[in-house]
Amino acid sequence: MLRSLFAGISGMRVNQTMLDVTGNNIANANTIGYKASNTVFQDTLSQMLTPASGSSTARGGTNPIQIGLGVQVAGVTTNFNQGSAEVTGKATDLMIQGDGMFIVKKNGEDLYTRAGSFTFDETGTLETPTGARVQGYALDASGNPTGGLTDVKLPTPPTGTEMTSYNIGSDGKLHVVYSDNSTADVAQIAMASFNNPAGLEKVGDTSYRASANSGTATVGVPGSGLNGTLLTGSVEMSNVDLASEFTNLILAQRGFQASSRVITTSDQVLEDLVNIKR
């Protein structure tokens, strides 16, 4: 069979994948904290017709003659560039300015996200819209972490008082004010950074889990290490560039169309070969 036939099939397959990735990006153009994906192509093995030869006293060297056998998907990469800010004015909405990710716990598993649309549930626990609990540190009377990661919660007011207000600072500390005008920093939101964020595995709900190639999470607080600071009352929008995505749609469509034309042409050549006998 003609090599061009299989090359055309591979071209249709990878351009269909590009369409799938681009379509998903466009669908998530308004998803908080979403990071766009890009499709990377690479050629497949090439068939060797004539190997290279070295030069000699009688003649010069010759280059190899090879024919490519098509294209394949090298990878689908995630673009972790920061998205724009959307001001909501909600005290529990948080945006990371810089690198790093929030740590949330769902079904006993630590997950990571850039989507900071949080709220307190009926128990005073800070959580995502899907019920994953935001992780952080409990603070002592001096505002220092007391141990490992735990759920970020509103405190029980001291006897004879009630909590009148709260806010979250750029350092992730949950600051509360009581009815007797006393104040306290009761918790601090934790953040994680990775050597290779592109290696994280998407698990839905705009969340990720660590993988073998992401490296282990380096856990800290906002403003420490590679972690950025927090902007309260805002959320990070999707970093999808619609202009680029529509351009990718055109490229994928034309690539698919051209590959299908290769298949049609190859089929006509095969038909001509079959008709030689007539």
Side-chain angles (χ1 to χ4, degrees):
M1 298 293 288
L2 296 175
R3 285 181 292 260
S4 59
L5 187 63
F6 296 102
I9 292 172
S10 69
M12 292 179 66
R13 184 181 297 114
V14 298
N15 280 287
Q16 178 62 61
T17 300
M18 185 176 178
L19 280 172
D20 294 339
V21 172
T22 304
N24 184 62
N25 287 340
I26 293 174
N28 285 281
N30 292 317
T31 300
I32 293 174
Y34 177 79
K35 300 302 178 184
S37 297
N38 302 303
T39 312
V40 181
F41 296 162
Q42 67 181 10
D43 66 343
T44 57
L45 292 174
S46 296
Q47 182 178 0
M48 180 71 71
L49 299 183
T50 304
S53 63
S55 60
S56 65
T57 56
R59 55 175 294 179
T62 59
N63 295 325
I65 299 176
Q66 296 175 276
I67 298 178
L69 300 177
V71 63
Q72 61 184 346
V73 176
V76 178
T77 62
T78 304
N79 174 12
F80 276 92
N81 289 341
Q82 184 167 315
S84 59
E86 179 184 0
V87 178
T88 64
K90 185 179 174 184
T92 53
D93 279 349
L94 303 173
M95 174 182 171
I96 300 174
Q97 299 183 102
D99 296 328
M101 307 185 82
F102 297 109
I103 306 171
V104 297
K105 189 176 287 291
K106 187 174 184 179
N107 298 325
E109 180 184 14
D110 284 341
L111 302 176
Y112 308 92
T113 183
R114 294 277 299 190
S117 180
F118 303 137
T119 188
F120 287 108
D121 66 8
E122 76 281 0
T123 66
T125 302
L126 191 64
E127 64 179 13
T128 69
T130 58
R133 294 175 175 176
V134 180
Q135 300 297 289
Y137 299 97
L139 302 181
D140 59 19
S142 300
N144 298 315
T146 60
L149 292 180
T150 185
D151 297 342
V152 175
K153 286 188 173 184
L154 291 172
T156 301
T159 303
T161 66
E162 60 182 16
M163 186 173 60
T164 58
S165 66
Y166 63 83
N167 64 76
I168 299 174
S170 61
D171 57 359
K173 289 186 176 181
L174 176 58
H175 184 79
V176 297
V177 179
Y178 299 111
S179 56
D180 61 357
N181 292 325
S182 63
T183 64
D185 291 328
V186 296
Q188 187 171 19
I189 292 173
M191 288 177 61
S193 59
F194 294 87
N195 290 334
N196 177 29
L200 292 170
E201 178 186 344
K202 294 182 179 181
V203 295
D205 298 335
T206 326
S207 298
Y208 303 82
R209 68 163 58 98
S211 74
N213 199 40
S214 66
T216 57
T218 300
V219 180
V221 294
S224 68
L226 297 176
N227 298 324
T229 57
L230 299 184
L231 179 62
T232 306
S234 298
V235 291
E236 181 181 2
M237 294 300 295
S238 168
N239 68 350
V240 171
D241 182 350
L242 285 178
S244 296
E245 297 303 329
F246 283 125
T247 301
N248 289 337
L249 274 182
I250 296 172
L251 292 174
Q253 179 187 20
R254 292 305 182 189
F256 190 95
Q257 186 179 41
S259 295
S260 66
R261 184 59 60 87
V262 170
I263 293 176
T264 302
T265 303
S266 299
D267 177 60
Q268 292 174 346
V269 171
L270 287 173
E271 183 179 4
D272 292 339
L273 288 174
V274 172
N275 290 335
I276 289 177
K277 186 174 180 287
R278 295 182 181 177

